Amino acid sequence: MAKVLITSGPTREYLDPVRYLSNASSGRMGKALAEAFLTAGHEVGVISGPVEITYPRGCRVQYVTTTEEMLAAAIELFAECDGVIGAAAPCDFRPAIVANDKIAKTGEGLCLRLVETPDILAALAADKRGRWVVGFALETRDGPARALRKMQRKQCDLIILNHPAAIRSDETEITAFTPDGGTLGTFIGSKKDAAHRIYCWVEEKLLR
Ligand code: C5P
C-alpha cells in the first residue's frame, strides 16, 4: 500500500478583500484520481483549493486558498507520502500588493502588478529522495513538446498531457509521457476512467 498525495482544484490570489484571480478548475480530476487510488487500496491525502465537488470518503482532505498555502501544506504532507500527483491548477501569479480595503474605481482604470507564485510540483520534486512525482500539463498549443519540457523542468517521473476542453468537464483526453520522451498511450473518455488509466500507469511504472 502506498501513501499518495494529490493536489487538486484551483487556487485563489486576492487583490483586495473581495476580489481574486483564479481559474475554472473544478477538482473533478483530483476527485477521480483519489477514487482510483483508494479503490486500489492505497492511502490518499488531498490538498485542494476551493471547489464545489465533494472528495470521496476515506481520503484525508485539507483545503487551502492560495498557491503558497497549497505549497506549505503539500511540503508537510509529502514528507509522509510515497508519491504525489499534481492535478491542481494553482495560480501562477499573484498581485504584488493586496489592498486592505476594497479597491474603488477612480475613472482611470487599474494597473495590477503580478508576481510569480512558487511551483509546487517543482519544489516537491527538488527534494523527492526516492519518491515519485506525476505532473499534468494543460496546453493550448505544441502539447507534447511543452509537456516534455515541463516534465524535465519540474523533474516529474511521468507527465499527463490534457487539453483546455477538460476544464470543468466530466470528459478528458490524456496522453502520458515518460522522461525518455516515450509515451505510455492516449486515453479519451470520462475522468473516472482516465483516472483509472493513470492509476494503472503509475502502478506499472512507479509503485514498488
Ligand atoms: O501550470 P502548469 O501547466 O505549469 O502546471 C503543470 C503541472 O504543475 C501541474 O501538475 C500542476 O499541478 C503543477 N503546478 C504546481 N504549482 C504551480 C503551477 C503548476 O504544482 N504553481
Side-chain angles (χ1 to χ4, degrees), residues 12-81:
R12 285 181 187 172
E13 302 295 342
Y14 278 85
L15 42 135
D16 70 17
V18 293
R19 304 186 181 98
Y20 56 82
L21 303 174
S22 191
N23 59 68
S25 169
S26 64
R28 285 182 176 93
M29 196 65 232
K31 173 184 177 174
L33 284 164
E35 275 163 355
F37 279 81
L38 283 172
T39 304
H42 299 292
E43 203 173 305
V44 176
V46 175
I47 298 173
S48 178
V51 290
E52 287 164 18
I53 53 128
T54 309
Y55 290 101
R57 285 164 70 93
C59 62
R60 181 165 133 198
V61 186
Q62 187 177 346
Y63 290 97
V64 295
T65 303
T66 67
T67 297
E68 286 187 15
E69 285 170 13
M70 187 173 273
L71 173 66
I75 288 174
E76 205 176 314
L77 194 50
F78 192 50
E80 19 173 300
C81 287

Side-chain angles (χ1 to χ4, degrees), residues 7 67 86-92 117-122 134-139 150 153-154:
T7 66
T67 297
C91 288
D92 291 326
T117 57
D119 191 297
I120 298 162
L121 269 196
V134 176
F136 273 77
L138 185 98
E139 307 295 343
K150 215 163 256 186
R153 199 172 64 239
K154 303 190 189 216

